[in-house]
């Protein structure tokens, strides 16, 4: 690997590991663990490219420190999961960015995820239906094998648009070998997303926590990591007993 790449690789590693430490200090352990793992891999790549022995020793020492901390977090998280005590809270501030579905859900969709339950009363209007579609697309792109998605929502008064949109999403998912089960409830209020690997994510505003973009050609219209958010709270739990279909 050319030495010219080293400064950029090192900068990327430092950035990711800095984020890991910030998440660690905020007790967002599952997210921190993902960042530690990514940062360690970047540092290992740097180590392979470095020629100077003193620098190699420096990187080995750094890598060992981060690996030790990652292992401690993994043991702590596993203990809490076993005891059914895992709870993590993420505060999304008003107008903040960086909270696309990929960014928010990434830490929780790696371990044998095959089935997802989405309970959200507001998957009715056009932008909300697009939000749900984006959520489904995120699941398709992630390193897991989701085969079934259950949606429980309320029915719009003029339900023709909602019904046709969800039917189209269902047909499109079917072409990707994913079954979409759609159910309606007139009494649903709470918002909850469950994964059959044990993770439960409760978002105060459900999937509809993004602000309307200023225009169709403004930054954040396509990339949701750049889209401003409404203020909301995300609570993450873990249980060994997941919901059955």
């Amino acid at each position: 690997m050319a030495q010219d790449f080293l400064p950029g690789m090192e900068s990327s590693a430092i950035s990711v590991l800095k984020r890991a430490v910030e998440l660690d200090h905020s007790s967002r352990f599952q997210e921190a663990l993902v960042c530690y793992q990514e940062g360690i891999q970047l540092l290992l790549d740097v180590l392979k490219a470095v020629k100077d022995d003193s620098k190699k020793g420096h990187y080995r020492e750094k890598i060992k420190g981060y690996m030790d901390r990652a292992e401690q977090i993994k043991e702590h998280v596993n203990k809490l999961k076993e005891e059914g005590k895992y709870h993590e809270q993420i505060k999304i501030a008003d107008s903040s960015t960086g909270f696309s579905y990929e960014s928010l859900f990434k830490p929780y969709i790696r371990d044998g995820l095959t089935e997802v339950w989405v309970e959200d009363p507001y998957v009715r209007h056009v932008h909300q239906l697009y939000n749900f579609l984006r959520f489904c697309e995120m699941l398709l792109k992630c390193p897991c094998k989701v085969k079934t998605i259950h949606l429980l929502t309320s029915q719009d008064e003029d339900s023709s648009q909602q019904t046709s949109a969800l039917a189209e999403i269902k047909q499109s998912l079917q072409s990707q070998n994913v079954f979409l089960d759609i159910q309606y409830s007139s009494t649903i209020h709470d918002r909850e997303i469950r994964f059959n690997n044990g993770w439960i994510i409760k978002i105060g505003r459900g999937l509809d926590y993004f602000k309307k973009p200023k225009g169709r050609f403004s930054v954040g219209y396509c990339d949701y990591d750049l889209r401003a958010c409404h203020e909301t709270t995300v609570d993450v739990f873990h249980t060994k007993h997941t919901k059955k279909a």
Side-chain angles (χ1 to χ4, degrees), residues 21 30 43 46 48 70 90 115 132 144 161 167 179 229 243:
V21 172
Q30 190 67 21
L43 274 189
V46 172
K48 291 175 186 175
I90 303 165
E115 195 165 5
F132 179 67
C144 59
Q161 179 177 254
F179 173 68
C229 298
K243 193 174 186 177

Side-chain angles (χ1 to χ4, degrees), residues 48-176:
K48 291 175 186 175
V50 167
K51 303 299 182 186
D52 184 88
D53 287 339
S54 63
K55 286 186 177 180
K56 280 182 176 288
H58 169 75
Y59 285 122
R60 287 194 185 99
E61 188 177 334
K62 287 287 186 183
I63 289 167
K64 184 182 184 304
Y66 288 125
M67 288 181 75
D68 288 346
R69 180 55 188 157
E71 191 58 35
Q72 289 171 2
I73 290 176
K74 191 182 293 185
E75 290 176 5
H76 176 65
V77 168
N78 286 341
K79 183 174 183 291
L80 292 175
K81 285 160 68 173
E82 283 295 318
E83 295 173 351
K85 296 178 180 178
Y86 189 94
H87 176 217
E88 178 179 326
Q89 190 171 83
I90 303 165
K91 297 277 191 180
I92 299 179
D94 185 58
S95 296
S96 61
T97 58
F99 292 97
S100 68
Y101 297 143
E102 287 85 353
S103 298
L104 186 61
F105 292 102
K106 182 180 179 181
Y108 314 106
I109 54 180
R110 295 188 168 199
D111 306 318
L113 178 61
T114 59
E115 195 165 5
V116 175
W117 291 262
V118 178
E119 296 184 4
D120 189 331
Y122 299 107
V123 184
R124 301 185 301 194
H125 301 148
V126 172
H127 74 282
Q128 295 165 346
L129 290 158
Y130 274 123
N131 284 340
F132 179 67
L133 176 59
R134 282 182 179 273
F135 176 79
C136 294
E137 289 174 338
M138 178 271 298
L139 292 173
L140 291 174
K141 286 164 58 182
C142 286
C144 59
K145 301 293 182 185
V146 172
K147 295 298 180 187
T148 307
I149 300 171
H150 304 272
L151 173 65
L152 178 64
T153 189
S154 61
Q155 199 156 25
D156 198 14
E157 291 179 5
D158 178 14
S159 61
S160 57
Q161 179 177 254
Q162 180 191 29
T163 303
S164 63
L166 288 175
E168 188 173 342
I169 293 173
K170 180 172 182 172
Q171 184 177 12
S172 183
L173 285 171
Q174 206 157 19
S175 70
Q176 301 290 326

